[in-house]
Amino acid sequence: MANSTTSPAAPKRALRGSDVDSMITGEGVLIDVPATSVASLVIAAIIDYIVIFSGFFLATLALTWLGGSVTEAQAAIIGILLTVTGFLVVPVGVELLTRGRSLGKLVMKLRVVRDDGGPITFRHAFVRGLVGIIEIWLLMGVPAVVSAMLSTRAKRIGDLAAGTYVVREETAMRLPPGPWMPPALIPWASGADMGALPDGVAMQIRQYLTRTDMLSPVAREQVGRALLAEVMPRVSPAPPPGAPMDAVLAAVLAERRKRDRERLQREAALRARVLR
């Protein structure tokens, strides 16, 4: 973080973070969005293998049964069409129509998403399917497994080419604990009039308080003062003289979280009485 003392923009970069497997909610809460495991990918691929090969085998049997009524050239053309349809068109079409789920992924509760977490498009599905012909079907999935084991997001080569990865649809998301209320500031915070914090400010305060050890002293002071200047116009009265800057920010965020929780509890209780 040595460069953060020489560039005004450096502290802002430090607050954004670059957690590749995370999302930030509108309330400034960092949520893990874990990629699936290699084992889940393998099981899902095996299910897809069975389904696709079963369909291909049945289609081949039908072609053989019709062998007497078609010429050798026609049989070759039909065979090529069946291969392309079974190993490219069908997988791409299914992933596109189901927004990233094949039958195997549906069973394992997995979904293909873009690197930014959004739904895949035709381009993503087509690139994954095209590369998959080589790495999965022709090479028996060995390159895909090796690539997934070496990737932090369990990406196969097709995912690397398409800019996608596979996530678990049902998972217990882990929320990092919020800042604790400094005991010395409880009387002030509980009686202060606090307006709602903008999402961006809440996010920056939360990340700042959890990453202060990553900032140089100069950058920490600069960023902390900037955040305090954003918060203080929304808080009245001012904190006690001499209150540490980080403690004030933590107290404001903790008190806002407490009040929001109490408000939600009151609304839930009101709904329960109305619907009783």
Side-chain angles (χ1 to χ4, degrees):
M1 298 298 299
N3 292 339
S4 61
T5 61
T6 58
S7 173
K12 296 181 180 179
R13 287 197 299 271
L15 291 177
R16 290 176 189 148
S18 58
D19 303 274
V20 294
D21 294 328
S22 302
M23 292 178 62
I24 296 176
T25 70
E27 298 299 324
V29 178
L30 194 66
I31 299 177
D32 289 336
V33 182
T36 187
S37 64
V38 177
S40 297
L41 285 175
V42 171
I43 296 173
I46 291 174
I47 296 173
D48 291 336
Y49 255 85
I50 293 173
V51 173
I52 292 177
F53 268 116
S54 297
F56 185 76
F57 178 71
L58 292 176
T60 304
L61 285 180
L63 179 61
T64 303
W65 182 71
L66 295 173
S69 60
V70 296
T71 65
E72 184 176 342
Q74 290 174 332
I77 294 174
I78 294 175
I80 294 174
L81 291 177
L82 286 177
T83 302
V84 173
T85 300
F87 296 104
L88 180 62
V89 176
V90 170
V92 170
V94 169
E95 280 197 354
L96 187 62
L97 293 175
T98 60
R99 298 172 68 85
R101 291 184 297 181
S102 61
L103 180 61
K105 293 182 180 66
L106 181 64
V107 172
M108 298 302 297
K109 295 181 172 59
L110 308 178
R111 182 186 295 273
V112 181
V113 298
R114 302 193 310 257
D115 281 342
D116 61 3
I120 62 172
T121 63
F122 172 77
R123 178 181 66 82
H124 300 98
F126 181 75
V127 172
R128 292 184 83 255
L130 195 62
V131 178
I133 292 178
I134 299 174
E135 66 168 331
I136 295 179
W137 303 112
L138 295 183
L139 299 179
M140 301 301 294
V142 174
V145 173
V146 173
S147 175
M149 292 177 66
L150 296 177
S151 171
T152 58
R153 282 185 167 185
K155 287 188 171 193
R156 65 176 178 85
I157 299 175
D159 288 314
L160 295 173
T164 58
Y165 74 114
V166 181
V167 299
R168 297 191 298 270
E169 287 197 306
E170 294 184 4
T171 182
M173 294 186 296
R174 301 181 300 275
L175 299 182
W180 293 98
M181 170 68 74
L185 293 180
I186 291 178
W188 165 73
S190 59
D193 181 17
M194 294 186 183
L197 293 176
D199 294 341
V201 174
M203 175 189 69
Q204 291 180 27
I205 294 174
R206 190 182 186 98
Q207 292 189 333
Y208 166 77
L209 293 174
T210 57
R211 301 180 182 183
T212 51
D213 57 337
M214 299 171 57
L215 298 173
S216 68
V218 174
R220 179 174 178 175
E221 178 73 15
Q222 181 181 355
V223 175
R225 291 297 174 189
L227 292 174
L228 199 62
E230 291 278 354
V231 168
M232 283 300 96
R234 298 176 172 85
V235 179
S236 180
M245 174 180 61
D246 291 359
V248 172
L249 293 173
V252 171
L253 210 57
E255 182 64 23
R256 285 301 321 173
R257 184 172 66 250
K258 172 189 171 186
R259 295 184 185 185
D260 288 342
R261 183 171 60 249
E262 292 174 347
R263 174 179 56 81
L264 292 175
Q265 290 172 347
R266 290 194 301 269
E267 292 176 354
L270 178 60
R271 283 195 299 269
R273 288 198 300 269
V274 171
L275 297 176
R276 185 177 302 170

